[in-house]
Amino acid sequence: MIYIICKKGKLTFPVTPEVIGPEGGDALYDDVEVLKQGTIPFFKGTSLKTYSWSSHFPLKPTSYTEPTAINVLTGTLNPPKEIAQLLATLRDTAEVITLYITELNIEQKVQIRSFTPRQVKPGDIDYSITMVEYREVKLAIKPKQQAGTNKTGQAVKKVAKAAKAAKSNQGRSPAKKPAKKSPPPPSKKTPKKTPYKKTTKANKPYTPKRPAPPPPPNLPKYIPGGRSRED
């Protein structure tokens, strides 16, 4: 069974052709002649796959008509003219559709490259169709580095700044480096005076009392020019 899904919905092809299968998808190489090495192949990817077949849209269902293409309520098929008109619109608008081939387990995004309907008898339409694989273009975008996270960038900026300063000072005497400031002398602080403490009996140290000396002996008094006498 073959069917497609587009923006308008699902379309099942009523008659499955006898021969159908993808063509293409081969590997692509560039053979480059290299000096002293010969031919070197460079892989470029794969070619696009192509799906093409020929069949017809019957007016009335037959024994070989796909059951899913028949309307369950009315028991009829979609009118061949409407199917042909839809496929022609998909071809002209280059709409990306999804192709399903159940027997080959194929699910592929494609675009209709060619569609040719032919009237063979009243009501039936023969056709030939070609679909080609669709690939999205993916561009790698490098995220921006936040400020302060790129160490290499900061080093380059410092070197460029130093080179610019050296260029602007060409022919001039080199700038003198500011003299290093000596540390200030230590400040002389006057020692703090200890407050006077009044001695009291409580904090006065104990000194033992010495005995009083004995009185002198009674000696006779001396009278000049005379003799001594005793009192």
Side-chain angles (χ1 to χ4, degrees):
M1 183 175 65
I2 304 174
Y3 65 94
I4 61 172
I5 294 180
C6 59
K7 293 180 180 179
K8 290 189 176 182
K10 178 181 177 181
L11 171 64
T12 301
F13 290 84
V15 180
T16 302
E18 295 181 359
V19 179
I20 185 175
E23 298 178 358
D26 299 328
L28 300 177
Y29 289 89
D30 270 345
D31 296 333
V32 180
E33 299 293 334
V34 180
L35 185 63
K36 295 183 180 181
Q37 295 187 23
T39 304
I40 304 297
F42 288 91
F43 179 68
K44 300 191 301 181
T46 58
S47 62
L48 298 176
K49 296 179 181 179
T50 303
Y51 304 86
S52 59
W53 68 88
S54 297
S55 186
H56 69 284
F57 301 127
L59 181 61
K60 296 179 180 180
T62 59
S63 58
Y64 49 80
T65 303
E66 293 291 342
T68 55
I70 302 173
N71 191 327
V72 179
L73 298 177
T74 61
T76 59
L77 295 170
N78 291 325
K81 289 184 179 180
E82 292 183 3
I83 299 175
Q85 186 176 3
L86 174 62
L87 294 175
T89 303
L90 295 175
R91 175 200 61 195
D92 298 339
T93 57
E95 180 180 334
V96 179
I97 61 177
T98 306
L99 171 67
Y100 294 88
I101 304 176
T102 57
E103 286 80 0
L104 300 177
N105 294 325
I106 292 176
E107 178 184 349
Q108 184 73 64
K109 287 186 177 182
V110 296
Q111 290 174 306
I112 299 177
R113 294 290 182 90
S114 66
F115 172 70
T116 306
R118 293 181 296 272
Q119 185 76 39
V120 290
K121 61 179 182 179
D124 292 351
I125 294 178
D126 287 354
Y127 72 93
S128 60
I129 191 170
T130 300
M131 302 182 185
V132 180
E133 175 187 0
Y134 172 77
R135 292 178 184 172
E136 296 180 358
V137 179
K138 297 180 180 180
L139 300 176
I141 300 176
K142 187 176 180 180
K144 293 183 179 180
Q145 292 284 347
Q146 296 182 357
T149 58
N150 192 348
K151 295 183 179 179
T152 305
Q154 290 180 356
V156 172
K157 288 182 179 179
K158 288 182 180 179
V159 173
K161 188 176 181 180
K164 186 177 180 181
K167 186 177 180 181
S168 60
N169 290 333
Q170 284 183 355
R172 302 178 183 177
S173 59
K176 294 183 179 180
K177 294 183 179 180
K180 293 184 179 180
K181 294 182 179 180
S182 59
S187 60
K188 295 182 180 180
K189 295 183 179 179
T190 56
K192 293 183 179 180
K193 294 182 179 180
T194 55
Y196 172 75
K197 290 184 179 181
K198 186 177 181 181
T199 58
T200 60
K201 291 184 178 181
N203 57 10
K204 185 177 182 180
Y206 171 77
T207 55
K209 293 183 178 181
R210 295 180 181 181
N218 294 326
L219 298 177
K221 294 183 179 180
Y222 173 74
I223 301 173
R227 57 181 181 178
S228 62
R229 65 180 182 86
E230 295 180 354
D231 293 337

